């Protein structure tokens, strides 16, 4: 095993609530402040949550199309988001930003964008697993209408060479699925960036409410360990428009251990100095895929969607 180390200092920029009427200008100022803190802490990359620029609007069934469209970005950078790209160059720090994307040909995605220290777009990821429901369900205390507002991302999980590492991205519900991490693991991922908005109340089965934090850590710790990768989990937490969401942003080592965790439910930066070569301790031993995996026996994973009893 190599004794050299490649270090990447990363910041998870947790956000507190974004009010429905908070302007992009105000939100972007909060993000720039977090970037400044991250740069001062020696970070080369700072990771923001899912849908960082707006309130989590899928909690409402909205019928005014102009009101809906106002939550989406039609260009990146646009006039209101350009300060983020300028801050990247000024501070010499990259960032990963979650936002609602409306493409020129009318597609709507829940998107993550990776930008380098030069303000250049390195990679774009569209959320693969879209949770919740598509029709208004007025009996719920609040909606989770992601399947109404977003299409399923059409591209597979990718991994890119950036910040001296093999970097992958996933968004919120994606973190609950083992395939997310394994598809990236098979591309040599060393750091997975994951933003989330997770309401504490889960209407289809409220027995899960008190387990939200446990499940959050469970899936990211497992994903990290089973694929020998760093994972950066970043929340938009706190009580947003009356809905309480999980905070507890954390950075997970390839061992599955938590190396940093947020202590508030507000804007808060946590930082970890990540040894990328630590991944090899797992991918070169217990999880040496080349030696131990049995893909010839895993056919159901890609040929079958639901459960089949045969
Ligand atoms: N944003 C997002 O994907 N949230 C979901 C909430 C549970 S499904 C209604 C999550 O997996 O955290």
């Amino acid at each position: 095993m190599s004794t050299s180390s490649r270090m990447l200092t990363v910041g998870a920029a947790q956000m507190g609530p974004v009010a429905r009427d908070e302007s992009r200008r105000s939100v972007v100022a909060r993000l720039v402040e977090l970037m400044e803190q991250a740069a001062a802490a020696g970070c080369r990359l700072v990771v923001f949550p899912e849908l960082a620029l707006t309130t989590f609007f899928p909690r409402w069934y909205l019928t005014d199309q102009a009101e809906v469209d106002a939550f989406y970005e039609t260009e990146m950078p646009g006039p209101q988001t350009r300060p983020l790209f300028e801050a990247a160059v000024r501070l010499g720090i990259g960032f990963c930003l979650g936002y609602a994307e409306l493409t020129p040909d009318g597609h709507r995605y829940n998107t993550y964008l990776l930008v380098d220290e030069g303000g250049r777009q390195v990679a774009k990821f569209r959320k693969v697993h879209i949770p919740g429901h598509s029709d208004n369900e007025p009996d719920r205390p609040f909606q989770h209408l992601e399947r109404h507002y977003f299409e399923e991302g059409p591209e597979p999980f990718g991994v890119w060479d950036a910040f001296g590492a093999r970097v992958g991205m996933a968004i919120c519900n994606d973190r609950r699925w083992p395939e997310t991490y394994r598809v990236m693991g098979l591309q040599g991922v060393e750091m997975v960036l994951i933003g989330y908005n997770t309401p504490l109340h889960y209407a289809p089965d409220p027995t899960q409410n008190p387990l939200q934090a446990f499940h959050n850590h469970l899936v990211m710790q497992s994903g990290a360990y089973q694929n020998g990768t760093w994972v950066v989990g970043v929340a938009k937490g706190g009580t947003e428009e009356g809905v309480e969401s999980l905070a507890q942003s954390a950075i997970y080592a390839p061992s599955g251990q938590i190396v940093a965790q947020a202590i508030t439910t507000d804007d808060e930066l946590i930082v970890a100095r990540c040894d990328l070569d630590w991944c090899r301790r797992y991918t070169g031993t217990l999880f040496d895929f080349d030696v131990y995996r049995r893909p010839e026996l895993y056919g159901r994973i890609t040929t079958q969607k639901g459960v089949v009893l045969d």
Side-chain angles (χ1 to χ4, degrees):
M1 197 174 299
S2 161
T3 51
S4 71
S5 330
R6 292 174 298 128
M7 294 293 179
L8 173 56
T9 301
V10 66
Q14 176 174 287
M15 295 178 72
V18 175
R20 185 172 183 165
D21 61 359
E22 183 169 350
S23 67
R24 289 283 201 293
R25 188 191 175 85
S26 160
V27 175
V28 166
R30 285 168 60 182
L31 300 181
V32 169
E33 159 68 26
L34 286 160
M35 287 174 80
E36 284 167 354
Q37 288 178 27
C43 295
R44 192 171 166 195
L45 169 65
V46 62
V47 185
F48 296 121
E50 174 192 38
L51 300 179
L53 296 172
T54 65
T55 201
F56 190 76
F57 61 92
R59 72 169 64 90
W60 297 299
Y61 180 67
L62 302 170
T63 51
D64 177 345
Q65 194 57 45
E67 189 179 16
V68 172
D69 288 351
F71 288 115
Y72 292 79
E73 307 303 312
T74 53
E75 54 179 337
M76 190 60 70
Q80 292 158 318
T81 48
R82 198 170 303 280
L84 296 169
F85 292 73
E86 291 167 351
V89 176
R90 174 169 57 86
L91 300 167
I93 187 171
F95 66 89
C96 184
L97 178 71
Y99 62 97
E101 177 189 17
L102 175 54
T103 68
D105 53 349
H107 293 286
R108 292 170 192 267
Y109 298 115
N110 189 336
T111 297
Y112 231 176
L113 184 70
L114 188 61
V115 175
D116 72 11
E117 304 96 323
R120 291 174 293 261
Q121 305 193 15
V122 175
K124 184 182 274 190
F125 166 77
R126 277 97 171 228
K127 187 173 183 175
V128 166
H129 301 95
I130 305 291
H133 49 110
S134 2
D135 297 322
N136 190 26
E137 297 185 8
D139 289 342
R140 289 176 179 239
F142 56 89
Q143 306 295 302
H144 199 103
L145 282 161
E146 280 197 67
R147 296 185 72 83
H148 177 71
Y149 291 117
F150 298 115
E151 293 167 55
E152 294 176 329
E155 297 109 10
F157 291 100
V159 174
W160 294 268
D161 289 314
F163 306 98
R166 296 281 294 160
V167 179
M169 293 180 273
I171 299 181
C172 197
N173 190 262
D174 289 325
R175 77 195 190 286
R176 301 187 192 272
W177 300 90
E179 294 86 349
T180 297
Y181 307 90
R182 183 49 52 89
V183 169
M184 290 191 253
L186 287 166
Q187 298 169 76
V189 76
E190 294 173 319
M191 184 175 283
V192 183
L193 316 178
I194 308 179
Y196 58 92
N197 284 262
T198 297
L200 295 185
H201 177 67
Y202 182 59
D205 177 19
T207 68
Q208 297 180 30
N209 296 359
L211 303 175
Q212 291 292 358
F214 167 62
H215 289 156
N216 182 56
H217 290 315
L218 178 69
V219 291
M220 289 193 277
Q221 290 184 272
S222 308
Y225 169 63
Q226 293 173 339
N227 296 279
T229 181
W230 291 89
V231 173
V232 182
V234 191
K236 174 137 70 60
T239 303
E240 189 181 81
E241 298 292 346
V243 176
E244 197 180 355
S245 288
L246 182 68
Q248 299 201 18
S249 301
I251 300 174
Y252 307 87
S255 59
Q257 290 168 292
I258 296 174
V259 298
Q261 183 172 322
I263 56 172
T264 73
T265 56
D266 217 324
D267 291 8
E268 179 184 345
L269 179 80
I270 58 168
V271 174
R273 191 165 173 265
C274 304
D275 181 351
L276 300 168
D277 286 330
W278 208 265
C279 300
R280 286 295 296 161
R281 293 185 177 271
Y282 292 85
T283 60
T285 59
L286 253 169
F287 295 111
D288 187 330
F289 293 168
D290 260 332
V291 176
Y292 300 114
R293 287 186 77 250
R294 301 289 312 280
E296 70 278 16
L297 304 182
Y298 305 154
R300 282 180 192 269
I301 301 277
T302 52
T303 56
Q304 215 173 291
K305 185 165 180 178
V307 173
V308 174
L309 306 176
D310 41 32

